């Protein structure tokens, strides 16, 4: 029911308040009440300032008094009355707005605010004053009606700042078409000597998803005028005077510390909106800088592995080794980090592009092999050799054969491993890690985990079919939120392991994480069960000795056997 029918007392209060305002304010002429097509309550009035009359209407929203009324020009669709107005004919931006609204503010107070604004900016006598803004307009608000946008990056702004007045260069522009906006990105600039400057802020893989074109870039002096866009002929004459070729359609003009992009033809001339470069803001702590020099192997680029890889790339890791032989198929999109643009490609190739789109500086090496599967011995050996060159191995396959193989090679080479599983049904999952010399071997840890479940008389539901080769059994049931939850926990454990935090955020090496109630295991979501493990054995600890420690141990052995 409409508020003015369900809250008759407030409706009466609003009417009496407006009547009292009209009786005491000689600038307000009330014209009466009405409803619009949506049955919103409207109060029409004229505001007079000197010899000028401003026809307005006060519109009460359907959810008044929980949301504020609005004051609009009545019948004025092309006139801009104020600097505090949402475009010609648009709503006036007044003192009472959604960001500071309280239900005790009345419609009469809105009209008084409108009068103060218009009177201050358009006084009948004296000098007009600018009404200061009480709030900031975001970049998104200012650009939501601008279809064509030039994106500036910090490195591009630095490059442009070095150009001299009168210098004209050629830029390579990537055009990213979207239904609601076209974003233009300059990824390369050819200098006067022919050397090509490459914008390091832009992923090199982005060009595969964009349209490229060459545009002239000119720096003008501070006292030179930008090309006018009010008249196409004047625009053409102005760009010709600046030295642009007659057939130049899109141009970039630099003036001061700003870049301006124009598109002109015989029928039109427009200036693009410029998205300014962001100020450099640290969003990660100093410890994450260390991740840039570290390398991570991800075995399995399915739904879990793809998300973990992307999260690590966002966290700062810049060196990846991806191992998977599988293709991305349409049904994978239920919970995979990739999308339809990558269907039919190998997952390692698509995840590579995903990583580089997140972090342009990343280096990614791939191997399309089936770990612990039917592969040539040489291929398997090469894959294992590359694994052991990494700082951390992440096993996202939930495949026991892969776990056994990775466990064996990681233990022999003293490499840390993080692994994870999402349990069928989407009710939870497991994350675990092995640190050489700290935890026992991964195979022993696996046995301890199985014993933990056996003590609770519970068997986790694992997928019984192989997605890559087919086979019997139902698929694993879990949605994207389930997988993402376990992936986030896995990425956090991986980061903690890479940084060797002391003390660690994870005091035990294995966690069973609940996402939903599950009979026999979880009574509610977010229940977490840590599974402690015994310390590594003396033999396992000895396998992780440094060269200096190993030398010292050999000396001790020599003493025992009285070896000179």
């Amino acid at each position: 029911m409409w508020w003015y029918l369900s809250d008759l007392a407030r409706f009466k209060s609003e009417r009496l308040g407006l009547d009292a305002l009209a009786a005491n304010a000689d600038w307000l002429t009330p014209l009466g009440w009405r409803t619009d097509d949506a049955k919103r309550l409207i109060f029409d009035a004229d505001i007079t300032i000197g010899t000028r009359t401003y026809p307005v209407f006060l519109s009460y929203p359907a959810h008044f008094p929980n949301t504020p009324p609005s004051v609009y020009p009545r019948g004025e669709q092309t006139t801009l009355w104020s600097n505090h107005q949402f475009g010609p004919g648009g709503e006036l931006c007044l003192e009472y707005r959604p960001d500071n609204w309280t239900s005790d503010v009345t419609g009469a107070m809105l009209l008084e605010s409108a009068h103060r604004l218009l009177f201050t900016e358009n006084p009948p006598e004296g000098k007009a004053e600018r009404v200061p803004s009480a709030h900031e307009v975001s970049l998104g608000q200012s650009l939501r009606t601008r279809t064509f946008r030039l994106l500036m990056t910090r490195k591009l702004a630095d490059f442009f700042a070095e150009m001299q007045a009168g210098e004209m260069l050629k830029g390579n522009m990537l055009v990213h078409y979207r239904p609601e906006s076209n974003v233009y990105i300059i990824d390369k600039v050819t200098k006067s000597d022919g050397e090509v400057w490459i914008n390091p802020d832009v992923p090199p893989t982005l060009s595969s998803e964009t349209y490229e074109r060459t545009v002239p870039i000119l720096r003008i002096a501070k006292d030179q005028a930008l090309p006018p866009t009010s008249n196409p002929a004047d625009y053409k004459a102005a760009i010709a005077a600046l030295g642009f070729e007659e057939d130049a359609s899109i141009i970039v003009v630099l003036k001061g510390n700003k870049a301006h992009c124009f598109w002109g033809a015989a029928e039109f001339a427009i200036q693009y909106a410029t998205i300014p470069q962001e100020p450099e803001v640290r969003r990660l702590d100093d410890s994450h800088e260390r991740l840039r020099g570290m390398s991570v192997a991800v075995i399995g680029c399915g739904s879990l592995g793809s998300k973990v890889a992307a999260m690590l790339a966002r966290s700062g890791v810049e060196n990846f080794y991806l191992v998977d032989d599988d293709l991305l198929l349409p049904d994978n999109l239920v919970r995979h980090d990739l999308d339809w643009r990558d269907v039919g490609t190998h997952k390692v190739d698509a995840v590579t592009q995903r990583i580089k789109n997140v972090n342009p500086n990343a280096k990614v090496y791939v191997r399309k092999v089936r770990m612990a599967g039917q592969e040539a011995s040489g291929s398997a050996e090469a894959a294992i050799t590359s694994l052991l060159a990494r700082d951390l191995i992440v096993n996202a396959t939930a495949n026991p054969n892969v776990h056994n193989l990775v466990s064996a090679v990681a233990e022999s080479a003293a490499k840390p491993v993080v692994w994870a599983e999402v349990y069928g049904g989407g009710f939870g999952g497991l994350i675990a890690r092995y640190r050489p010399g700290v935890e026992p071997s991964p195979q022993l840890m696996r046995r301890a985990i199985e014993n933990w479940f056996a003590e609770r008389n519970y068997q986790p539901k694992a997928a019984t079919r192989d997605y890559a080769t087919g086979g019997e059994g139902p698929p694993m049931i879990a949605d994207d939120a389930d997988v993402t939850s376990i992936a986030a926990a896995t990425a956090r454990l991986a980061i903690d392991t890479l940084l060797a935090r002391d003390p660690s955020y994870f005091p035990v090496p294995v966690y069973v994480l609940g996402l939903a109630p599950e009979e026999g295991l979880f009574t509610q979501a977010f229940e977490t069960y840590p599974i402690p493990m015994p310390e590594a054995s003396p033999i396992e600890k000895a396998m992780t000795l440094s060269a200096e420690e190993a030398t010292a141990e050999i000396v001790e052995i020599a003493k025992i056997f009285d070896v000179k």
Side-chain angles (χ1 to χ4, degrees), residues 218-230 234-235 237-239 242 244 251-256 258-262 271-272 274:
L218 172 68
R219 174 167 287 284
I220 63 175
K222 292 183 179 180
D223 59 350
Q224 289 181 281
L226 293 170
T229 56
S230 56
D234 293 342
Y235 168 81
I239 68 169
L242 289 173
F244 290 101
I251 64 172
V252 176
V253 181
L254 310 177
K255 184 176 180 180
K258 293 185 179 181
H260 308 268
C261 188
F262 297 89
Q271 181 174 354
Y272 291 8
T274 299

Side-chain angles (χ1 to χ4, degrees), residues 134-195:
H135 63 286
E136 295 180 356
V137 176
S138 70
L139 178 63
Q141 287 175 304
S142 65
L143 294 187
R144 58 191 172 198
T145 61
R146 304 293 296 275
T147 302
F148 302 99
R149 305 166 183 178
L150 173 67
L151 175 69
M152 290 293 295
T153 70
R154 285 192 290 270
K155 297 296 185 184
L156 181 62
D158 292 343
F159 179 86
F160 282 165
E162 298 297 321
M163 290 180 62
Q164 302 299 312
E167 186 177 8
M168 183 179 292
L169 305 178
K170 288 185 178 179
N172 187 70
M173 181 175 277
L174 305 178
V175 186
H176 213 186
Y177 291 113
R178 286 292 181 266
E180 299 298 329
S181 62
N182 298 333
V183 180
Y184 296 74
I185 305 165
I186 296 175
D187 69 331
K188 301 182 187 73
V189 179
T190 302
K191 299 180 181 179
S192 303
D193 59 2
E195 180 187 355

Side-chain angles (χ1 to χ4, degrees), residues 39 97 138 199 206 289 350 429 486 520 540 544:
K39 302 302 180 184
R97 310 169 305 274
S138 70
N199 187 349
L206 192 62
E289 287 296 316
I486 302 303
E540 291 170 325
T544 66

Side-chain angles (χ1 to χ4, degrees), residues 31-86:
L31 300 178
W33 294 89
R34 61 184 172 89
T35 58
D36 62 9
D37 293 339
K39 302 302 180 184
R40 285 185 290 260
L41 195 61
I42 304 292
F43 179 75
D44 291 321
D46 287 339
I47 294 176
T48 303
I49 300 175
T51 59
R52 182 173 179 180
T53 298
Y54 295 89
V56 300
F57 69 90
L58 175 67
S59 175
Y60 286 87
H63 300 291
F64 181 81
N66 298 313
T67 54
S70 302
V71 177
Y72 290 89
R74 190 179 73 253
E76 292 275 356
Q77 300 301 317
T78 59
T79 304
L80 187 66
W81 286 353
S82 168
N83 290 314
H84 296 272
Q85 187 175 359
F86 293 102

